[in-house]
Amino acid sequence: MNHDHFRQQAYGPAARKEDARFLRGKGTFVDDIALPGMLHGAMLRSPLAHARILSVDTAAAAAHPMVEAVITGDMLAERGLAWMPTLSADVQAVLATDKVRFQGQEVAFVVARDRYSARDALELISVDYEPLPVVMDAGLALDPAAPVIRDDLGNGRGNAIFDWSAGDKAATDAVFASADVVVSQELLYPRSHPAPLETCGAIADLDEITGRLTIWCTSQAPHAHRTMYAMMTGLPEHKIRVVSPDIGGGFGNKVPIYPGYLCAIVGSMMTGKPVKWVEDRSENLMSTSFARDYHMRGEIASTADGQILAVRAKVIADHGAFNGAAQPAKFPAGFFHIFTGSYDLKAAYCEVTGVYTNKAPGGVAYSCSFRVTEAVYLIERMVDRLAAELGSDPAELRMKNLLRPEQFPYTCPTGLEYDSGDYPRALRTALDLAGYDALRAEQAAGRQRGEYMGIGLSFFTEGVGAGPKHQMDILGLGLADGADLRIHPTGKAVLAVSCQTQGQGHETTFAQIVAAELGLSPDDVEVVHGDTDRTPFGLGTYGSRSTAVSGAAAAVVARKVRDRARLVAAAMLEVAADDLEWSGGAWRVKGDPEQARGIAEIAMAAHSGLDLGTGVEGHLDAITVYNPPNLTFPFGAYICVTDVDAGTGQVSVRRFIAVDDCGVRINPMIVAGQVHRGLADGIGIALMQNITFDAEGNCLGGSLMDYLLPTSVEVPSPELGATVTPSPHHPIGAKGIGESATVGSPAAVVNSVIDALAPFGVKHADMPLTPAAVWCAIQAVANTTKGVKAPDV
Amino acid sequence: MQVPAYVEYEKATSLTHALSLLAKFGPEARVLAGGHSLIPMMKLRLAQPETLIDINGLTELSYLDSTGTELRIGAMTRHAELLGSRLAGQHFPILHDAERVIADPVVRLWGTVGGSLCQADPSEDLSAAFAALEATMVIAGIEGKRTVPAREFHIGPYETVVGPGEILTEIKIALMPGGGSAYEKVGRRAGDWPVAAAGAAVWLEGNLIRTAGIGLTAVGAPQFAAREAEESLIGAPATQEAFARAGRLAAEHCRPVFDQRGPVEYKRHLASELTVRALRRAVERARG
């Protein structure tokens, strides 16, 4: 029996520990929490996308018999809280003082004794607005004549936020200039929204006696939030406790701090009572962190026989009215520079310009791996465009250009070092699962009968698991995560981690990691998370970083415990520590493996009166901080089969084949669950999900009647495959998986639909591929259902 | 959580009681049937009735039967009951086609046929289905009952001829031999309101179309009907050419508007395409 064998016993498919409470309706979400004397907040929001505030009259609302406080921007300004820092080092209005800059922006906050009264009182507040011209089209934001949205910044940069580039422009231009074939394409990755089942909310409770502030809130990053609250409010950080209880889905939506959280805090300061604020569905869709809104131009260069040489991209990134994107500070376009994809390129260059518009702030949310989603979509659409141009089969073209296993570690032309991969094996696995050749034959036969079936591929590489912290920080906080492992005398373990589960199953997976390292049962390991008073510091759960960073921390801290246990075992067995080896879940005497001690026995001894020898502390508890040496680079090959009704434009997804390689799989059942969810996301994003606005800046996606999420009818049962290429630098060889399918699948869906429409000469159509969009593509008429064009058709 | 404004609530125990409550509370009272439109509108405060009169206890309005000459559907019949009715499906498969694509199973279990019609959403599927079938609506008031043809039921978007003191109680459809019907809908997703939808009901004599009804929804067809298309079919042979002509006329005479579901020309195309598809299937069914 060796260590790997024992690890396999702890790893493997296992139902989530979390399921017991969720399936019985016994979870505790923010809105389930009721504190004695708790008051309720409601937010007044701007009906206009851009307007100067002339006056805010709250007298009637304040006179409402159930109202305890009404908070305005001016009142916050007196406390220095009218503006708050964003995760991208911009500032965002908590409650507007000068102007409103998007429809749904926070203007005033009412605190009342019940939720109904708080909502009623909103109607008693009157705000005088002077409407201003709006900027809704990211492409026009940089026009010198465009109204300046962020006049508060006074930086003379108009609506520009940042210019960022990666790669070697001159080298790339030179390759393009001499290439046989160059294909270019405008691509819109439209604005979508994570729309978690649970909306955002908080309860703030300031104890006037102790000066302690406790905030229960929907946070994917409780520790980062605690530090930000300390910086914003001036309250000392050790007096602040952030508790993120059960979270009903995050997907990036719950990384930022929202004005409602701060208003709840101020409400508690003003009333001396706990204040709860939970937004409704429309507020969540209209005001919280959106995703994408990348306006891209892609170019790809190749030889005449299909050797891909270089890629170029120019992007306008619409960040809305405040730059609230949550991503490492040095990467204002996230990891978009991974748009080099999975291919062996000579050169690549991208430029991204961030702009302000009169839309809700955000930009990095919805399982995008910090803009890898947009990058994968661009490269995978461009490869398909090239295949069509060359008359090549898209699978063959990919196979010809994929990086070869011996090229790893591979530094891509924009500077990312891909850690490991066997790309051809993953693609072959997917093609075999799909029965690719038979599908192509079926497609050809169907076209003879006027049936339009599509086969779309996508091969993606992600870079996930930020830091390393010397390269990656948010507001100066390096992206490293702590873990604290306590072993009780009876050998039961409690692991405290800094990340926060929102459905990923950390309580199960991380218990498996610790169990594997210590020869315990996962049932003997309790995972604590989400409470800053009970867990070590760390940056939280997003960007597929939990297993990549906190999971690594869990393994490392367990190995520290194991090392401590070795000294105790040596004392127990009266041998030198060097004479012991870890094998089969116990420390054993080399050459006499029956002489062994497991962690449970060692734990009791470690707490006993046994003489452990000079310098040995006793107990087994350990703590660690894991600072990843690099990102991990999961990858996968996806194939989507669609049927398109050319008479109506309706797309039906018939099959979805997904082969993921996320390195070592701790719990394959949880991996499969993550992939299932991500594929549903991707199908939704490709076919229907879209936050649109009219020309006046009214949000047209403010309800789930308008912002469509896919149902089981639209999402087929996926066919999953796996290859395993361990990460060489991760302690257990794992890579992130949480976002892979969301990142990789939209391109496969779009490629499939465009493939189906090839007989009509369609080369491209932007997402979402609604029936109208598909029909318009076929008719080669402008699709007027998207963007901000006026409804004047 | 979206929270409605303050509202009074009354539970009606009979039709007579409901009508007397309506009379008592006046025009700011609203009848609560399945509530799947009214309650969401109240939560968004787009609707703020003073009083809700709950008629969910009125089992006397929940039935689905045949008199031999008419199919009668009580207004409180739930969508799921209409979808589950063999009687309705046997005579008018258009109703099952339409119900199958209305909202989702949860909504269909509680939402009512009468409630959907009275909500009078310009995209309502059942309005088009009943227009195609030339159904008759029975409306009760304190003075008694009156009947209105389905094609005179709507005044405009979200407006019907049902007065403030009245309640829709029943939908009647004449039973005639030789008929077939079908409903075709394009939505952006299961459960979505239609981008466009067309229902067709035909009665054949040999290969000739004796009479035909075509309902359209979400495309601005007056009273949810495509009269010109229907007229073009009467006495015509049931051929692809006749269907195509009817489709063209349906598209020509409807008035779709641009919205997130699509541009005008697309919706017009669907009016034609779906009319043709519905006619084809209705004729296949009529031929058995």
Side-chain angles (χ1 to χ4, degrees), chain A residues 3-4 7 11 419-421 425 464 509 513 516-517 546-556 559 626 629-635 660-667 671 723-737:
Chain A
H3 175 55
D4 280 337
R7 176 183 283 172
Y11 289 3
D419 58 349
S420 64
R425 179 169 59 138
V464 303
T509 311
I513 293 173
E517 298 299 331
S546 290
T547 295
V549 186
S550 280
V556 169
R559 288 173 192 174
Y626 186 77
N630 188 8
L631 299 171
T632 66
F633 291 78
F635 57 93
D660 275 283
D661 192 323
C662 57
V664 171
R665 295 178 172 220
I666 301 150
N667 186 329
V671 171
T723 62
V724 175
T725 313
S727 168
H729 63 75
H730 188 277
I732 57 172
K735 302 180 176 186
I737 184 64

Side-chain angles (χ1 to χ4, degrees), chain A residues 115-116 119-120 123 279-280 282 645 647-648 650 688 692 700 705 708-709 714 771-772 775 784-785 791 793, chain B residues 1-4 45 48 186-190 192-193 258-266 269-270 273 277:
Chain A
R115 196 173 274 193
Y116 289 84
R119 175 67 182 82
D120 289 347
E123 292 174 23
E279 67 189 3
D280 68 29
S282 295
D645 182 334
T648 62
Q650 283 169 298
M688 61 192 76
T692 57
L700 304 178
M705 301 279 285
L708 299 179
L709 300 175
E714 287 78 33
W775 185 81
T784 48
T785 60
V793 181
Chain B
M1 188 175 79
Q2 281 153 343
V3 289
R45 303 200 175 195
Q48 295 198 15
V186 169
R188 296 171 299 175
R189 187 203 64 190
D192 188 22
W193 290 94
F258 170 94
D259 63 15
Q260 281 187 282
R261 291 182 171 77
V264 168
E265 60 266 44
Y266 170 61
H269 161 78
L270 284 183
E273 178 74 26
R277 291 185 186 193

Side-chain angles (χ1 to χ4, degrees), chain A residues 743-759:
Chain A
V743 168
S745 58
V749 179
V750 174
N751 284 343
S752 182
V753 174
I754 302 301
D755 182 56
L757 301 182

Side-chain angles (χ1 to χ4, degrees), chain B residues 207-229:
Chain B
N207 193 38
L208 293 185
I209 298 171
R210 180 156 52 85
T211 180
I214 295 175
L216 294 174
T217 193
V219 290
Q223 292 291 349
F224 296 91
R227 287 176 197 277
E228 296 79 2

Side-chain angles (χ1 to χ4, degrees), chain A residues 297-315:
Chain A
R297 178 179 177 77
E299 290 178 286
I300 189 164
S302 85
T303 61
D305 66 349
Q307 197 66 49
I308 302 173
L309 301 171
V311 288
R312 248 184 336 215
K314 197 168 171 57
V315 179

